[in-house]
Amino acid sequence: MLVLDGADRVLQTYPVGLGFAPEGHKQFEGDGRTPEGVYTIDRRNPNSTYHLSIGISYPNEADIAFAEAQGLSPGGDIFIHGGPRPGIDPTNVRDWTAGCIAVTDREIEDIYAMVKDGTPIHIFA
């Protein structure tokens, strides 16, 4: 993941963890994929189940229309987040990222401080 400033200069880069099916754009709830495309940072959750989380504006209108045309839900609640808080055992679930973008706790602290709501995010494989 790259964090850019307003002039498209790289501020920082981070390795990330993705859903259990990391190839291809998220289409439906539970498909294990991470959305691909242009979204916006639209919320933040300091009380997340994970160590801080920043919300991504998935699903957009096109995502919703595609899923509904198939008679399915597009899913939602996609975040950039740190590791699970104490008491959550990631080995007890199939995919603890659930299609989100996971970074280390220290990295989400940095990202949380740098990236403001309304910031565009480009997610591509």
Side-chain angles (χ1 to χ4, degrees):
M1 179 171 74
L2 299 173
V3 178
L4 306 173
D5 68 3
D8 291 336
R9 291 182 300 238
V10 175
L11 296 176
Q12 189 64 275
T13 62
Y14 302 97
V16 299
L18 302 175
F20 67 83
E23 293 185 23
H25 174 61
K26 180 170 194 60
Q27 297 178 324
F28 311 114
E29 184 172 4
D31 66 8
R33 293 179 176 161
T34 301
E36 294 179 4
V38 179
Y39 295 92
T40 303
I41 299 301
D42 64 355
R43 62 199 180 281
R44 50 194 62 241
N45 184 359
N47 300 311
S48 172
T49 302
Y50 300 95
H51 186 73
L52 298 176
S53 63
I54 300 171
I56 298 171
S57 64
Y58 176 87
N60 62 28
E61 290 180 16
D63 298 320
I64 294 167
F66 179 82
E68 286 180 351
Q70 310 303 311
L72 297 169
S73 167
D77 285 336
I78 302 298
F79 289 85
I80 302 168
H81 61 71
R85 290 200 184 266
I88 295 181
D89 182 1
T91 63
N92 284 336
V93 294
R94 182 173 176 203
D95 171 33
W96 68 272
T97 68
C100 292
I101 299 169
V103 294
T104 69
D105 290 353
R106 179 67 187 136
E107 290 165 348
I108 192 59
E109 290 170 3
D110 292 344
I111 296 164
Y112 199 92
M114 274 191 288
V115 178
K116 306 301 178 205
D117 289 357
T119 300
I121 179 170
H122 301 252
I123 307 168
F124 298 102

